[in-house]
């Protein structure tokens, strides 16, 4: 599902979770608002979730850890808030982009950690609101 830069607006429909064969959701550069529907976390085949440059807000549900195919998570330039779910470590992420949101707390992902496949993380580490876990020697870009 690739609908980037289409000036789409409103909330992401709850029935998006019914599209169980989806591998890509690319909705960047639109005008979506609201929280992510809980049903999105049931998309087990989803490999790429690109929601950057919209107006999404709220927290990321811990059920994101159920997305066992998710390799690319791009949430930058929204208004997401809260802490990063520890369950992010269960996603086989290669790229995770969180910058320009209102996240706080510890980033549970690690670049170069032997148990994770993460190649790049972007988040707002410079503000002091987000830190990487000390025990895993991760880096924030």
């Amino acid at each position: 599902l690739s609908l980037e830069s289409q000036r789409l607006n409103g909330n992401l429909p709850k029935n998006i979770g019914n599209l169980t064969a989806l591998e890509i959701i690319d909705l960047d550069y639109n005008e979506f608002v609201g929280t992510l529907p809980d049903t999105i976390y049931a998309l087990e085949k989803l490999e790429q979730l690109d929601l950057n440059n919209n107006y999404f807000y709220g927290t990321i549900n811990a059920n994101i850890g159920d997305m066992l195919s998710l390799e690319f998570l791009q949430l930058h330039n929204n208004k997401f808030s809260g802490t990063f779910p520890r369950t992010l470590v269960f996603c086989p992420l290669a790229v995770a982009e969180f910058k320009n949101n209102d996240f706080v707390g510890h980033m549970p992902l690690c670049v170069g950690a032997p148990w994770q496949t993460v190649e790049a993380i972007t988040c707002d580490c410079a503000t002091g609101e987000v830190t990487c876990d000390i025990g895993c020697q991760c880096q924030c870009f």
Side-chain angles (χ1 to χ4, degrees), residues 17-31:
N18 295 339
L19 303 174
T20 56
L22 280 180
E23 295 178 359
I24 295 173
I25 295 177
D26 186 352
L27 301 175
D28 63 333
Y29 293 96
N30 279 294
E31 298 173 8

Side-chain angles (χ1 to χ4, degrees), residues 3-8 27-32 53-54:
L3 297 170
E4 71 275 1
S5 302
Q6 296 297 310
R7 296 185 179 169
L8 300 173
L27 301 175
D28 63 333
Y29 293 96
N30 279 294
E31 298 173 8
F32 285 104
N53 294 292
N54 280 285

Side-chain angles (χ1 to χ4, degrees), residues 88-91 93 108-118 121 136 138:
L88 273 172
V89 299
F90 300 122
C91 300
L93 291 170
L109 301 173
C110 304
V111 173
W115 64 90
Q116 290 182 337
T117 57
V118 180
I121 299 172
C136 67
C138 64

Side-chain angles (χ1 to χ4, degrees), residues 2-141:
S2 185
L3 297 170
E4 71 275 1
S5 302
Q6 296 297 310
R7 296 185 179 169
L8 300 173
N9 57 41
N11 294 319
L12 200 56
K14 292 181 181 181
N15 61 0
I16 196 163
N18 295 339
L19 303 174
T20 56
L22 280 180
E23 295 178 359
I24 295 173
I25 295 177
D26 186 352
L27 301 175
D28 63 333
Y29 293 96
N30 279 294
E31 298 173 8
F32 285 104
V33 297
T35 60
L36 295 183
D38 290 340
T39 58
I40 201 167
Y41 303 108
L43 297 174
E44 296 176 358
K45 295 180 181 177
L46 196 68
E47 298 173 3
Q48 178 180 336
L49 180 58
D50 190 349
L51 302 176
N52 64 299
N53 294 292
N54 280 285
Y55 301 99
F56 289 111
Y57 56 83
T59 60
I60 303 302
N61 191 308
N63 291 338
I64 196 167
D66 296 336
M67 301 176 83
L68 301 178
S69 299
L70 190 62
E71 296 177 9
F72 297 93
L73 178 61
Q74 299 176 328
L75 303 179
H76 55 286
N77 297 326
N78 280 287
K79 293 294 179 188
F80 289 111
S81 60
T83 59
F84 299 97
R86 303 276 318 153
T87 56
L88 273 172
V89 299
F90 300 122
C91 300
L93 291 170
V95 175
E97 297 188 14
F98 302 105
K99 65 185 175 190
N100 297 323
N101 281 289
D102 295 318
F103 289 113
V104 296
H106 295 288
M107 168 62 65
L109 301 173
C110 304
V111 173
W115 64 90
Q116 290 182 337
T117 57
V118 180
E119 299 170 7
I121 299 172
T122 61
C123 60
D124 299 320
C125 301
T127 65
E129 297 295 320
V130 175
T131 59
C132 289
D133 285 344
I134 296 169
C136 67
Q137 301 177 3
C138 64
Q139 300 174 8
C140 297
F141 297 94

